[in-house]
Amino acid sequence: MILLIETSTALTSVAISEDEKILYYKDDGASRNQSALTAPFIKEALDSQALKASDLDAVCVSMGPGSYTGLRVGVSSAKGLCFGAKVPMLAVGTLDCLVWEAIGSGKAGGYKYIVPMIDARRMEVYTAVFTADGKRTTDVTPSIIDGTSFSDIIADAAADGKKVLFIGDAAQKCSNVISAPNAVFAQQYPTARGLARPAMEKFKAGQFQDVAYFEPFYLKDFVATVSKKKLF
């Protein structure tokens, strides 16, 4: 069994999976209270299956990008469990989490691309482009969204009579800027359920993290732009 921890955005969620099947799931409804809720949620998850931490096959945490505080809480919790119980640690990108939750829930049908979006600030997002079967085709980058963003993949999908799914906690604000008949926006927080499949794949491949040295993937530095206004 794998304990799944997702705290990268406003929503705190914890789950336990076995062979990708979710046995237990709980979230807090996006209260932005990861520091207070993550440890109790983990205890409730373990108790629900009559498990001790040492009974787990692994612990998987959402590694970012996302909220600095949220990522620190999630990763610290995972590290503490893995170190104390001597179980391996897995880490999955937050954008991958969103994509696999969409695929697992059946939301990805009929789309050529999935574009997960994590809210940063203003019109800035953390994003990447994935195919509908979960393969990432671009680097994970911070992007400032405008009316021309993703026009290439939107046009490419339209040429095949397909759509592009924009999903994440930044989807709603981006829907006000990106306008295309085949662009669909799903406002959604990443949850621990989306970690189940990639966590199992990493577990089978032995892709474990070094508990002592692992750090979250913050990706918080945006490229500065030069103001067009003359100051002098």
Side-chain angles (χ1 to χ4, degrees), residues 19-151:
D19 295 328
E20 301 181 26
K21 180 181 179 181
I22 299 296
L23 304 179
Y24 174 89
Y25 173 81
K26 183 172 184 177
D27 68 53
D28 71 330
S31 70
R32 291 191 181 275
N33 200 15
Q34 297 99 330
S35 297
L37 295 177
T38 303
F41 278 17
I42 290 172
K43 184 179 185 304
E44 288 179 36
L46 293 173
D47 290 347
S48 74
Q49 305 301 310
L51 296 171
K52 302 187 296 293
S54 57
D55 295 325
L56 295 167
D57 295 304
V59 175
C60 180
V61 65
S62 180
M63 64 183 282
S67 156
Y68 180 88
T69 299
L71 291 172
R72 293 299 298 178
V73 170
V75 169
S76 296
S77 299
K79 281 187 169 187
L81 283 168
C82 292
F83 182 79
K86 295 180 173 56
V87 297
M89 178 176 164
L90 304 165
V92 171
T94 306
L95 299 179
D96 297 80
C97 177
L98 278 165
V99 168
W100 283 106
E101 185 152 8
I103 293 172
S105 65
K107 291 180 180 178
Y111 295 98
K112 184 167 185 178
Y113 300 106
I114 304 174
V115 182
M117 295 176 154
I118 297 295
D119 196 10
R121 57 181 180 177
R122 303 183 185 91
M123 289 310 297
E124 297 165 333
V125 302
Y126 304 122
T127 189
V129 176
F130 291 72
T131 57
D133 59 356
K135 295 177 182 176
R136 182 162 57 85
T137 64
T138 67
D139 291 335
V140 177
T141 60
S143 299
I144 298 175
I145 302 302
D146 60 29
T148 64
S149 297
F150 304 105
S151 58

Side-chain angles (χ1 to χ4, degrees), residues 127-210:
T127 189
V129 176
F130 291 72
T131 57
D133 59 356
K135 295 177 182 176
R136 182 162 57 85
T137 64
T138 67
D139 291 335
V140 177
T141 60
S143 299
I144 298 175
I145 302 302
D146 60 29
T148 64
S149 297
F150 304 105
S151 58
D152 53 344
I153 65 166
I154 290 173
D156 182 60
D160 290 339
K162 293 188 175 182
K163 299 179 180 180
V164 178
L165 175 63
F166 295 89
I167 188 169
D169 66 342
Q172 184 174 358
K173 74 176 186 181
C174 292
S175 69
N176 297 322
V177 178
I178 300 172
S179 179
N182 65 323
V184 178
F185 297 85
Q187 181 74 7
Q188 181 176 321
Y189 292 105
T191 79
R193 285 182 294 232
L195 298 173
R197 176 162 176 179
M200 179 55 66
E201 291 180 349
K202 285 177 176 286
F203 181 81
K204 289 179 178 178
Q207 296 176 352
F208 305 122
Q209 299 295 329
D210 186 319

